[in-house]
Amino acid sequence: MAKCTCEPAEIMLFPCAGGSNVGQLANQAAVKLDQEGAGKLFCLAGLGGHVQSIVESTKVARRIVAIDGCPIGCAKATVEHAGFLVTDYVMVTRLGIQKNHEFAWTGEELDRVVQAVKESLES
Ligand code: SF4
């Protein structure tokens, strides 16, 4: 059986990674936060599918961060459906970024999402 490389971490990041600029921006922000060591990008699809290794790893987390693109709130709903509490929540459209289907964003918009997650984690 394939082994997942998703080892547990204290701060786990679950972006919605949805099919829009804001969904992909949520994902890209999580990538950047992971690369900076601010948390670990984790597998929302595995959590939603109740994949045992992903669920077990998530139990170890001290902070569970959901980053949603828009008010439909898929990442938060998926985390909660798996039985976990979202401790930190960021929604990209709440940061003044409008949803579209162009899959493009500026560096400043990416920084805005990254910063919002960092501010939440500081509280
Ligand atoms: S929260 Fe919005 S952008 Fe993200 S997956 Fe759901 S509908 Fe798509």
Side-chain angles (χ1 to χ4, degrees):
M1 193 164 124
K3 189 176 181 312
C4 183
T5 58
C6 296
E7 302 299 333
E10 281 214 330
I11 299 173
M12 291 187 178
L13 309 167
F14 291 99
C16 74
S20 63
N21 63 325
V22 288
Q24 292 303 309
L25 186 48
N27 194 61
Q28 196 54 47
V31 169
K32 192 166 183 199
L33 286 157
D34 187 310
Q35 289 171 333
E36 291 179 1
K40 182 156 186 176
L41 171 55
F42 227 61
C43 306
L44 185 69
L47 197 60
H50 297 259
V51 175
Q52 195 179 356
S53 60
I54 303 288
V55 172
E56 290 303 316
S57 293
T58 305
K59 284 180 184 170
V60 179
R62 190 170 53 81
R63 305 281 284 256
I64 294 178
V65 183
I67 312 171
D68 270 320
C70 77
I72 296 175
C74 302
K76 186 170 187 282
T78 303
V79 169
E80 291 175 349
H81 180 70
F84 294 97
L85 193 70
V86 171
T87 61
D88 299 86
Y89 189 53
V90 168
M91 186 190 299
V92 175
T93 53
R94 277 191 195 149
L95 303 174
I97 301 166
Q98 287 203 333
K99 185 178 180 179
N100 62 48
H101 200 69
E102 290 164 15
F103 303 111
W105 50 82
T106 66
E108 186 279 323
E109 287 172 332
L110 175 59
D111 287 344
R112 220 185 297 175
V113 182
V114 167
Q115 195 54 37
V117 174
K118 284 182 177 172
E119 281 171 15
S120 178
L121 287 171
E122 280 166 10
S123 63

